[in-house]
Amino acid sequence: MNTKYKILIVEDQAITAMEIKQIVLALGLDVVGIAKSNEEAVKKFEEYLPEIVIMDIKIQGDRDGITTVKDMYKIGETSVIYLTAFNDDATIDRAIETYPLAYEIKPFNKASLQSTIKIVMSKLNKDIVEKPILNVDLGYNYSFNQDTKKLYFNNTFIKLGYQETELLFMLIKAKEQIVSYKQIENEIWEGNVISDSSVRTLIWRLRTKFEYKIIETIPYEGIRLLININK
């Protein structure tokens, strides 16, 4: 399978970034951007949703590459290759928590990095072939892919925030059962104490992504999907 994956490079040294870009382009892949900081990287990630991110750990700003990867995961899935000069146990342990597919130590060479990228591509290709696509019909030409957690309208992708995605996934798993406000608070905010308005605002944000009334409010109890999900 010759998929042309999109790659985002996060590297604050211009010369190094261009070296990485040339290596990636030589493999026939699409470099969608180069970022130097957390803010720039997250913005480009949200815009392009690259399948692969090559991430330096020491980047501009207060938020390093590992924290930046965690921020990206709140937006969508990606495969991470860390490319860094850090090889101490503490940094590697932090990086492992983000489930990278590779961890390359600088200084790197072209052959090594190309081999790493090819291995990551091979795994992605294998996942595409083997992973089942579990689409849920939400009615009104909306569908939700439970595998990728993505919402579509007439096969057009609709971008959801991380919390909106998790809330919709909760409703789908519950089928036609009511999801209480307390359940939403516990799962989305992981038990942290928040205001009632935070839950209501999240529900409102999700509702605005649909042109039809798919989410029903049950007074004093919670919300549920109005559609019949048989899966």
Side-chain angles (χ1 to χ4, degrees), residues 74-108:
K74 295 176 183 177
I75 300 170
E77 296 180 355
T78 192
S79 297
V80 176
I81 299 172
Y82 283 113
L83 186 60
T84 178
F86 289 96
N87 61 358
D88 59 284
D89 290 342
T91 301
I92 293 173
D93 287 344
R94 284 184 62 223
I96 288 173
E97 293 176 356
T98 63
Y99 305 102
L101 292 191
Y103 194 101
E104 285 277 314
I105 302 296
K106 293 178 179 176
F108 63 91

PDB file of all heavy atoms in Angstrom, residues 74-108:
ATOM      1  N   LYS A  74      -4.866  15.452  22.426  1.00  0.00           N
ATOM      2  CA  LYS A  74      -6.185  15.978  22.777  1.00  0.00           C
ATOM      3  C   LYS A  74      -6.980  16.351  21.534  1.00  0.00           C
ATOM      4  O   LYS A  74      -8.200  16.496  21.589  1.00  0.00           O
ATOM      5  CB  LYS A  74      -6.036  17.193  23.699  1.00  0.00           C
ATOM      6  CG  LYS A  74      -5.420  16.877  25.049  1.00  0.00           C
ATOM      7  CD  LYS A  74      -5.214  18.138  25.864  1.00  0.00           C
ATOM      8  CE  LYS A  74      -4.526  17.830  27.198  1.00  0.00           C
ATOM      9  NZ  LYS A  74      -4.265  19.064  27.973  1.00  0.00           N
ATOM     10  N   ILE A  75      -6.273  16.518  20.423  1.00  0.00           N
ATOM     11  CA  ILE A  75      -6.903  16.893  19.152  1.00  0.00           C
ATOM     12  C   ILE A  75      -7.182  15.669  18.287  1.00  0.00           C
ATOM     13  O   ILE A  75      -8.250  15.534  17.690  1.00  0.00           O
ATOM     14  CB  ILE A  75      -6.013  17.887  18.388  1.00  0.00           C
ATOM     15  CG1 ILE A  75      -5.799  19.154  19.218  1.00  0.00           C
ATOM     16  CG2 ILE A  75      -6.614  18.238  17.023  1.00  0.00           C
ATOM     17  CD1 ILE A  75      -4.746  20.086  18.669  1.00  0.00           C
ATOM     18  N   GLY A  76      -6.231  14.775  18.210  1.00  0.00           N
ATOM     19  CA  GLY A  76      -6.400  13.591  17.369  1.00  0.00           C
ATOM     20  C   GLY A  76      -5.238  12.631  17.516  1.00  0.00           C
ATOM     21  O   GLY A  76      -4.270  12.893  18.230  1.00  0.00           O
ATOM     22  N   GLU A  77      -5.335  11.516  16.826  1.00  0.00           N
ATOM     23  CA  GLU A  77      -4.313  10.484  16.894  1.00  0.00           C
ATOM     24  C   GLU A  77      -3.189  10.794  15.917  1.00  0.00           C
ATOM     25  O   GLU A  77      -3.391  11.412  14.874  1.00  0.00           O
ATOM     26  CB  GLU A  77      -4.909   9.118  16.561  1.00  0.00           C
ATOM     27  CG  GLU A  77      -5.959   8.648  17.551  1.00  0.00           C
ATOM     28  CD  GLU A  77      -6.523   7.289  17.177  1.00  0.00           C
ATOM     29  OE1 GLU A  77      -6.156   6.780  16.102  1.00  0.00           O
ATOM     30  OE2 GLU A  77      -7.330   6.757  17.952  1.00  0.00           O
ATOM     31  N   THR A  78      -1.990  10.340  16.251  1.00  0.00           N
ATOM     32  CA  THR A  78      -0.855  10.454  15.350  1.00  0.00           C
ATOM     33  C   THR A  78       0.211   9.472  15.808  1.00  0.00           C
ATOM     34  O   THR A  78       0.133   8.929  16.912  1.00  0.00           O
ATOM     35  CB  THR A  78      -0.293  11.888  15.329  1.00  0.00           C
ATOM     36  OG1 THR A  78       0.625  12.015  14.235  1.00  0.00           O
ATOM     37  CG2 THR A  78       0.413  12.236  16.627  1.00  0.00           C
ATOM     38  N   SER A  79       1.199   9.231  14.960  1.00  0.00           N
ATOM     39  CA  SER A  79       2.328   8.366  15.306  1.00  0.00           C
ATOM     40  C   SER A  79       3.553   9.249  15.508  1.00  0.00           C
ATOM     41  O   SER A  79       3.887  10.062  14.650  1.00  0.00           O
ATOM     42  CB  SER A  79       2.591   7.354  14.187  1.00  0.00           C
ATOM     43  OG  SER A  79       1.486   6.494  14.029  1.00  0.00           O
ATOM     44  N   VAL A  80       4.203   9.093  16.656  1.00  0.00           N
ATOM     45  CA  VAL A  80       5.275  10.005  17.049  1.00  0.00           C
ATOM     46  C   VAL A  80       6.644   9.339  16.939  1.00  0.00           C
ATOM     47  O   VAL A  80       6.839   8.206  17.390  1.00  0.00           O
ATOM     48  CB  VAL A  80       5.058  10.496  18.488  1.00  0.00           C
ATOM     49  CG1 VAL A  80       6.229  11.369  18.950  1.00  0.00           C
ATOM     50  CG2 VAL A  80       3.749  11.271  18.590  1.00  0.00           C
ATOM     51  N   ILE A  81       7.567  10.070  16.332  1.00  0.00           N
ATOM     52  CA  ILE A  81       8.979   9.695  16.320  1.00  0.00           C
ATOM     53  C   ILE A  81       9.721  10.803  17.071  1.00  0.00           C
ATOM     54  O   ILE A  81       9.758  11.942  16.613  1.00  0.00           O
ATOM     55  CB  ILE A  81       9.540   9.587  14.892  1.00  0.00           C
ATOM     56  CG1 ILE A  81       8.796   8.516  14.092  1.00  0.00           C
ATOM     57  CG2 ILE A  81      11.039   9.291  14.914  1.00  0.00           C
ATOM     58  CD1 ILE A  81       9.174   8.481  12.616  1.00  0.00           C
ATOM     59  N   TYR A  82      10.268  10.484  18.230  1.00  0.00           N
ATOM     60  CA  TYR A  82      11.085  11.469  18.933  1.00  0.00           C
ATOM     61  C   TYR A  82      12.490  11.466  18.316  1.00  0.00           C
ATOM     62  O   TYR A  82      13.080  10.403  18.094  1.00  0.00           O
ATOM     63  CB  TYR A  82      11.183  11.146  20.420  1.00  0.00           C
ATOM     64  CG  TYR A  82       9.946  11.512  21.200  1.00  0.00           C
ATOM     65  CD1 TYR A  82       9.135  10.530  21.766  1.00  0.00           C
ATOM     66  CD2 TYR A  82       9.587  12.848  21.380  1.00  0.00           C
ATOM     67  CE1 TYR A  82       8.000  10.866  22.486  1.00  0.00           C
ATOM     68  CE2 TYR A  82       8.438  13.188  22.093  1.00  0.00           C
ATOM     69  CZ  TYR A  82       7.661  12.191  22.643  1.00  0.00           C
ATOM     70  OH  TYR A  82       6.529  12.527  23.346  1.00  0.00           O
ATOM     71  N   LEU A  83      13.001  12.655  18.057  1.00  0.00           N
ATOM     72  CA  LEU A  83      14.346  12.818  17.500  1.00  0.00           C
ATOM     73  C   LEU A  83      15.029  13.862  18.365  1.00  0.00           C
ATOM     74  O   LEU A  83      14.784  15.064  18.227  1.00  0.00           O
ATOM     75  CB  LEU A  83      14.270  13.261  16.035  1.00  0.00           C
ATOM     76  CG  LEU A  83      15.586  13.345  15.275  1.00  0.00           C
ATOM     77  CD1 LEU A  83      16.282  11.990  15.238  1.00  0.00           C
ATOM     78  CD2 LEU A  83      15.356  13.848  13.853  1.00  0.00           C
ATOM     79  N   THR A  84      15.880  13.423  19.280  1.00  0.00           N
ATOM     80  CA  THR A  84      16.351  14.306  20.334  1.00  0.00           C
ATOM     81  C   THR A  84      17.752  13.943  20.799  1.00  0.00           C
ATOM     82  O   THR A  84      18.218  12.825  20.589  1.00  0.00           O
ATOM     83  CB  THR A  84      15.384  14.243  21.532  1.00  0.00           C
ATOM     84  OG1 THR A  84      15.866  15.070  22.586  1.00  0.00           O
ATOM     85  CG2 THR A  84      15.250  12.806  22.040  1.00  0.00           C
ATOM     86  N   ALA A  85      18.395  14.905  21.442  1.00  0.00           N
ATOM     87  CA  ALA A  85      19.717  14.655  22.025  1.00  0.00           C
ATOM     88  C   ALA A  85      19.609  14.095  23.439  1.00  0.00           C
ATOM     89  O   ALA A  85      20.602  13.656  24.018  1.00  0.00           O
ATOM     90  CB  ALA A  85      20.531  15.946  22.042  1.00  0.00           C
ATOM     91  N   PHE A  86      18.409  14.089  24.006  1.00  0.00           N
ATOM     92  CA  PHE A  86      18.218  13.603  25.372  1.00  0.00           C
ATOM     93  C   PHE A  86      18.132  12.076  25.395  1.00  0.00           C
ATOM     94  O   PHE A  86      17.284  11.483  24.729  1.00  0.00           O
ATOM     95  CB  PHE A  86      16.926  14.179  25.976  1.00  0.00           C
ATOM     96  CG  PHE A  86      17.022  15.648  26.291  1.00  0.00           C
ATOM     97  CD1 PHE A  86      16.549  16.585  25.389  1.00  0.00           C
ATOM     98  CD2 PHE A  86      17.575  16.089  27.478  1.00  0.00           C
ATOM     99  CE1 PHE A  86      16.625  17.938  25.668  1.00  0.00           C
ATOM    100  CE2 PHE A  86      17.657  17.446  27.771  1.00  0.00           C
ATOM    101  CZ  PHE A  86      17.190  18.377  26.858  1.00  0.00           C
ATOM    102  N   ASN A  87      19.000  11.470  26.186  1.00  0.00           N
ATOM    103  CA  ASN A  87      18.936  10.010  26.326  1.00  0.00           C
ATOM    104  C   ASN A  87      19.000   9.570  27.787  1.00  0.00           C
ATOM    105  O   ASN A  87      19.328   8.427  28.086  1.00  0.00           O
ATOM    106  CB  ASN A  87      20.050   9.330  25.518  1.00  0.00           C
ATOM    107  CG  ASN A  87      21.442   9.751  25.979  1.00  0.00           C
ATOM    108  OD1 ASN A  87      21.590  10.576  26.879  1.00  0.00           O
ATOM    109  ND2 ASN A  87      22.471   9.193  25.356  1.00  0.00           N
ATOM    110  N   ASP A  88      18.675  10.489  28.700  1.00  0.00           N
ATOM    111  CA  ASP A  88      18.655  10.140  30.118  1.00  0.00           C
ATOM    112  C   ASP A  88      17.377   9.381  30.451  1.00  0.00           C
ATOM    113  O   ASP A  88      16.355   9.510  29.763  1.00  0.00           O
ATOM    114  CB  ASP A  88      18.747  11.401  30.974  1.00  0.00           C
ATOM    115  CG  ASP A  88      17.613  12.374  30.706  1.00  0.00           C
ATOM    116  OD1 ASP A  88      17.651  13.049  29.663  1.00  0.00           O
ATOM    117  OD2 ASP A  88      16.670  12.416  31.507  1.00  0.00           O
ATOM    118  N   ASP A  89      17.427   8.600  31.496  1.00  0.00           N
ATOM    119  CA  ASP A  89      16.303   7.732  31.850  1.00  0.00           C
ATOM    120  C   ASP A  89      15.037   8.517  32.153  1.00  0.00           C
ATOM    121  O   ASP A  89      13.931   8.100  31.776  1.00  0.00           O
ATOM    122  CB  ASP A  89      16.669   6.870  33.063  1.00  0.00           C
ATOM    123  CG  ASP A  89      17.705   5.813  32.739  1.00  0.00           C
ATOM    124  OD1 ASP A  89      17.888   5.522  31.541  1.00  0.00           O
ATOM    125  OD2 ASP A  89      18.333   5.274  33.675  1.00  0.00           O
ATOM    126  N   ALA A  90      15.166   9.641  32.843  1.00  0.00           N
ATOM    127  CA  ALA A  90      13.979  10.410  33.229  1.00  0.00           C
ATOM    128  C   ALA A  90      13.223  10.909  31.994  1.00  0.00           C
ATOM    129  O   ALA A  90      11.996  10.823  31.922  1.00  0.00           O
ATOM    130  CB  ALA A  90      14.378  11.588  34.114  1.00  0.00           C
ATOM    131  N   THR A  91      13.964  11.423  31.011  1.00  0.00           N
ATOM    132  CA  THR A  91      13.327  11.923  29.794  1.00  0.00           C
ATOM    133  C   THR A  91      12.716  10.786  28.988  1.00  0.00           C
ATOM    134  O   THR A  91      11.588  10.897  28.489  1.00  0.00           O
ATOM    135  CB  THR A  91      14.344  12.680  28.922  1.00  0.00           C
ATOM    136  OG1 THR A  91      14.892  13.764  29.673  1.00  0.00           O
ATOM    137  CG2 THR A  91      13.684  13.226  27.662  1.00  0.00           C
ATOM    138  N   ILE A  92      13.441   9.692  28.880  1.00  0.00           N
ATOM    139  CA  ILE A  92      12.925   8.547  28.128  1.00  0.00           C
ATOM    140  C   ILE A  92      11.657   7.995  28.786  1.00  0.00           C
ATOM    141  O   ILE A  92      10.689   7.654  28.099  1.00  0.00           O
ATOM    142  CB  ILE A  92      14.001   7.451  28.003  1.00  0.00           C
ATOM    143  CG1 ILE A  92      15.158   7.950  27.115  1.00  0.00           C
ATOM    144  CG2 ILE A  92      13.403   6.173  27.420  1.00  0.00           C
ATOM    145  CD1 ILE A  92      16.343   7.010  27.054  1.00  0.00           C
ATOM    146  N   ASP A  93      11.651   7.937  30.115  1.00  0.00           N
ATOM    147  CA  ASP A  93      10.457   7.457  30.824  1.00  0.00           C
ATOM    148  C   ASP A  93       9.264   8.375  30.547  1.00  0.00           C
ATOM    149  O   ASP A  93       8.132   7.899  30.362  1.00  0.00           O
ATOM    150  CB  ASP A  93      10.719   7.379  32.329  1.00  0.00           C
ATOM    151  CG  ASP A  93      11.625   6.219  32.707  1.00  0.00           C
ATOM    152  OD1 ASP A  93      11.798   5.317  31.861  1.00  0.00           O
ATOM    153  OD2 ASP A  93      12.166   6.229  33.827  1.00  0.00           O
ATOM    154  N   ARG A  94       9.487   9.690  30.534  1.00  0.00           N
ATOM    155  CA  ARG A  94       8.401  10.626  30.215  1.00  0.00           C
ATOM    156  C   ARG A  94       7.910  10.415  28.787  1.00  0.00           C
ATOM    157  O   ARG A  94       6.703  10.442  28.516  1.00  0.00           O
ATOM    158  CB  ARG A  94       8.882  12.076  30.362  1.00  0.00           C
ATOM    159  CG  ARG A  94       9.011  12.566  31.792  1.00  0.00           C
ATOM    160  CD  ARG A  94       9.391  14.042  31.794  1.00  0.00           C
ATOM    161  NE  ARG A  94       8.355  14.842  31.146  1.00  0.00           N
ATOM    162  CZ  ARG A  94       8.614  15.834  30.299  1.00  0.00           C
ATOM    163  NH1 ARG A  94       9.868  16.137  29.971  1.00  0.00           N
ATOM    164  NH2 ARG A  94       7.627  16.520  29.770  1.00  0.00           N
ATOM    165  N   ALA A  95       8.847  10.204  27.884  1.00  0.00           N
ATOM    166  CA  ALA A  95       8.477  10.006  26.485  1.00  0.00           C
ATOM    167  C   ALA A  95       7.669   8.728  26.298  1.00  0.00           C
ATOM    168  O   ALA A  95       6.697   8.691  25.529  1.00  0.00           O
ATOM    169  CB  ALA A  95       9.725   9.966  25.606  1.00  0.00           C
ATOM    170  N   ILE A  96       8.040   7.675  27.009  1.00  0.00           N
ATOM    171  CA  ILE A  96       7.336   6.391  26.902  1.00  0.00           C
ATOM    172  C   ILE A  96       5.867   6.543  27.264  1.00  0.00           C
ATOM    173  O   ILE A  96       5.000   5.855  26.702  1.00  0.00           O
ATOM    174  CB  ILE A  96       8.020   5.331  27.795  1.00  0.00           C
ATOM    175  CG1 ILE A  96       9.369   4.923  27.189  1.00  0.00           C
ATOM    176  CG2 ILE A  96       7.132   4.104  27.984  1.00  0.00           C
ATOM    177  CD1 ILE A  96      10.200   4.019  28.074  1.00  0.00           C
ATOM    178  N   GLU A  97       5.559   7.459  28.168  1.00  0.00           N
ATOM    179  CA  GLU A  97       4.166   7.676  28.582  1.00  0.00           C
ATOM    180  C   GLU A  97       3.291   8.157  27.429  1.00  0.00           C
ATOM    181  O   GLU A  97       2.057   8.071  27.511  1.00  0.00           O
ATOM    182  CB  GLU A  97       4.119   8.695  29.722  1.00  0.00           C
ATOM    183  CG  GLU A  97       4.742   8.195  31.016  1.00  0.00           C
ATOM    184  CD  GLU A  97       4.760   9.272  32.088  1.00  0.00           C
ATOM    185  OE1 GLU A  97       4.347  10.420  31.787  1.00  0.00           O
ATOM    186  OE2 GLU A  97       5.186   8.975  33.221  1.00  0.00           O
ATOM    187  N   THR A  98       3.898   8.663  26.354  1.00  0.00           N
ATOM    188  CA  THR A  98       3.132   9.141  25.193  1.00  0.00           C
ATOM    189  C   THR A  98       3.090   8.106  24.073  1.00  0.00           C
ATOM    190  O   THR A  98       2.616   8.404  22.977  1.00  0.00           O
ATOM    191  CB  THR A  98       3.722  10.457  24.650  1.00  0.00           C
ATOM    192  OG1 THR A  98       5.060  10.222  24.188  1.00  0.00           O
ATOM    193  CG2 THR A  98       3.738  11.537  25.722  1.00  0.00           C
ATOM    194  N   TYR A  99       3.587   6.913  24.320  1.00  0.00           N
ATOM    195  CA  TYR A  99       3.520   5.784  23.381  1.00  0.00           C
ATOM    196  C   TYR A  99       4.087   6.130  21.990  1.00  0.00           C
ATOM    197  O   TYR A  99       3.409   5.953  20.974  1.00  0.00           O
ATOM    198  CB  TYR A  99       2.072   5.294  23.237  1.00  0.00           C
ATOM    199  CG  TYR A  99       1.436   4.945  24.559  1.00  0.00           C
ATOM    200  CD1 TYR A  99       0.533   5.822  25.165  1.00  0.00           C
ATOM    201  CD2 TYR A  99       1.749   3.757  25.208  1.00  0.00           C
ATOM    202  CE1 TYR A  99      -0.036   5.511  26.396  1.00  0.00           C
ATOM    203  CE2 TYR A  99       1.186   3.449  26.437  1.00  0.00           C
ATOM    204  CZ  TYR A  99       0.285   4.320  27.022  1.00  0.00           C
ATOM    205  OH  TYR A  99      -0.272   4.015  28.243  1.00  0.00           O
ATOM    206  N   PRO A 100       5.323   6.591  21.937  1.00  0.00           N
ATOM    207  CA  PRO A 100       5.915   6.862  20.615  1.00  0.00           C
ATOM    208  C   PRO A 100       6.208   5.558  19.878  1.00  0.00           C
ATOM    209  O   PRO A 100       6.365   4.497  20.502  1.00  0.00           O
ATOM    210  CB  PRO A 100       7.213   7.589  20.970  1.00  0.00           C
ATOM    211  CG  PRO A 100       7.601   7.013  22.307  1.00  0.00           C
ATOM    212  CD  PRO A 100       6.281   6.804  23.033  1.00  0.00           C
ATOM    213  N   LEU A 101       6.301   5.638  18.555  1.00  0.00           N
ATOM    214  CA  LEU A 101       6.667   4.457  17.771  1.00  0.00           C
ATOM    215  C   LEU A 101       8.168   4.356  17.591  1.00  0.00           C
ATOM    216  O   LEU A 101       8.665   3.310  17.167  1.00  0.00           O
ATOM    217  CB  LEU A 101       5.976   4.495  16.406  1.00  0.00           C
ATOM    218  CG  LEU A 101       4.458   4.318  16.423  1.00  0.00           C
ATOM    219  CD1 LEU A 101       3.930   4.115  15.014  1.00  0.00           C
ATOM    220  CD2 LEU A 101       4.046   3.145  17.300  1.00  0.00           C
ATOM    221  N   ALA A 102       8.901   5.427  17.895  1.00  0.00           N
ATOM    222  CA  ALA A 102      10.361   5.375  17.783  1.00  0.00           C
ATOM    223  C   ALA A 102      10.975   6.493  18.607  1.00  0.00           C
ATOM    224  O   ALA A 102      10.338   7.518  18.863  1.00  0.00           O
ATOM    225  CB  ALA A 102      10.800   5.495  16.328  1.00  0.00           C
ATOM    226  N   TYR A 103      12.248   6.278  19.014  1.00  0.00           N
ATOM    227  CA  TYR A 103      12.981   7.269  19.796  1.00  0.00           C
ATOM    228  C   TYR A 103      14.399   7.278  19.246  1.00  0.00           C
ATOM    229  O   TYR A 103      15.202   6.392  19.524  1.00  0.00           O
ATOM    230  CB  TYR A 103      12.962   6.897  21.274  1.00  0.00           C
ATOM    231  CG  TYR A 103      13.400   7.982  22.223  1.00  0.00           C
ATOM    232  CD1 TYR A 103      12.473   8.734  22.923  1.00  0.00           C
ATOM    233  CD2 TYR A 103      14.759   8.242  22.434  1.00  0.00           C
ATOM    234  CE1 TYR A 103      12.870   9.730  23.810  1.00  0.00           C
ATOM    235  CE2 TYR A 103      15.164   9.230  23.313  1.00  0.00           C
ATOM    236  CZ  TYR A 103      14.218   9.977  24.006  1.00  0.00           C
ATOM    237  OH  TYR A 103      14.617  10.966  24.877  1.00  0.00           O
ATOM    238  N   GLU A 104      14.720   8.287  18.435  1.00  0.00           N
ATOM    239  CA  GLU A 104      16.025   8.404  17.785  1.00  0.00           C
ATOM    240  C   GLU A 104      16.879   9.437  18.522  1.00  0.00           C
ATOM    241  O   GLU A 104      16.403  10.504  18.879  1.00  0.00           O
ATOM    242  CB  GLU A 104      15.854   8.841  16.328  1.00  0.00           C
ATOM    243  CG  GLU A 104      15.356   7.743  15.397  1.00  0.00           C
ATOM    244  CD  GLU A 104      16.496   6.861  14.918  1.00  0.00           C
ATOM    245  OE1 GLU A 104      17.548   7.389  14.510  1.00  0.00           O
ATOM    246  OE2 GLU A 104      16.334   5.634  14.959  1.00  0.00           O
ATOM    247  N   ILE A 105      18.148   9.101  18.705  1.00  0.00           N
ATOM    248  CA  ILE A 105      19.070   9.984  19.408  1.00  0.00           C
ATOM    249  C   ILE A 105      19.899  10.792  18.403  1.00  0.00           C
ATOM    250  O   ILE A 105      20.415  10.250  17.428  1.00  0.00           O
ATOM    251  CB  ILE A 105      20.017   9.182  20.326  1.00  0.00           C
ATOM    252  CG1 ILE A 105      19.207   8.362  21.351  1.00  0.00           C
ATOM    253  CG2 ILE A 105      21.000  10.099  21.028  1.00  0.00           C
ATOM    254  CD1 ILE A 105      18.409   9.204  22.303  1.00  0.00           C
ATOM    255  N   LYS A 106      19.998  12.100  18.652  1.00  0.00           N
ATOM    256  CA  LYS A 106      20.876  12.958  17.861  1.00  0.00           C
ATOM    257  C   LYS A 106      22.318  12.797  18.357  1.00  0.00           C
ATOM    258  O   LYS A 106      22.527  12.538  19.541  1.00  0.00           O
ATOM    259  CB  LYS A 106      20.469  14.423  18.000  1.00  0.00           C
ATOM    260  CG  LYS A 106      19.133  14.779  17.394  1.00  0.00           C
ATOM    261  CD  LYS A 106      18.848  16.254  17.654  1.00  0.00           C
ATOM    262  CE  LYS A 106      17.532  16.702  17.059  1.00  0.00           C
ATOM    263  NZ  LYS A 106      17.238  18.116  17.401  1.00  0.00           N
ATOM    264  N   PRO A 107      23.302  12.995  17.502  1.00  0.00           N
ATOM    265  CA  PRO A 107      23.165  13.291  16.060  1.00  0.00           C
ATOM    266  C   PRO A 107      22.708  12.053  15.295  1.00  0.00           C
ATOM    267  O   PRO A 107      23.122  10.930  15.618  1.00  0.00           O
ATOM    268  CB  PRO A 107      24.576  13.711  15.659  1.00  0.00           C
ATOM    269  CG  PRO A 107      25.465  13.022  16.645  1.00  0.00           C
ATOM    270  CD  PRO A 107      24.709  12.969  17.933  1.00  0.00           C
ATOM    271  N   PHE A 108      21.843  12.255  14.309  1.00  0.00           N
ATOM    272  CA  PHE A 108      21.302  11.149  13.541  1.00  0.00           C
ATOM    273  C   PHE A 108      21.950  11.127  12.165  1.00  0.00           C
ATOM    274  O   PHE A 108      22.607  12.088  11.750  1.00  0.00           O
ATOM    275  CB  PHE A 108      19.790  11.307  13.393  1.00  0.00           C
ATOM    276  CG  PHE A 108      19.391  12.544  12.623  1.00  0.00           C
ATOM    277  CD1 PHE A 108      19.211  12.514  11.251  1.00  0.00           C
ATOM    278  CD2 PHE A 108      19.211  13.754  13.287  1.00  0.00           C
ATOM    279  CE1 PHE A 108      18.860  13.656  10.551  1.00  0.00           C
ATOM    280  CE2 PHE A 108      18.862  14.901  12.594  1.00  0.00           C
ATOM    281  CZ  PHE A 108      18.686  14.850  11.228  1.00  0.00           C
TER     282      PHE A 108
END
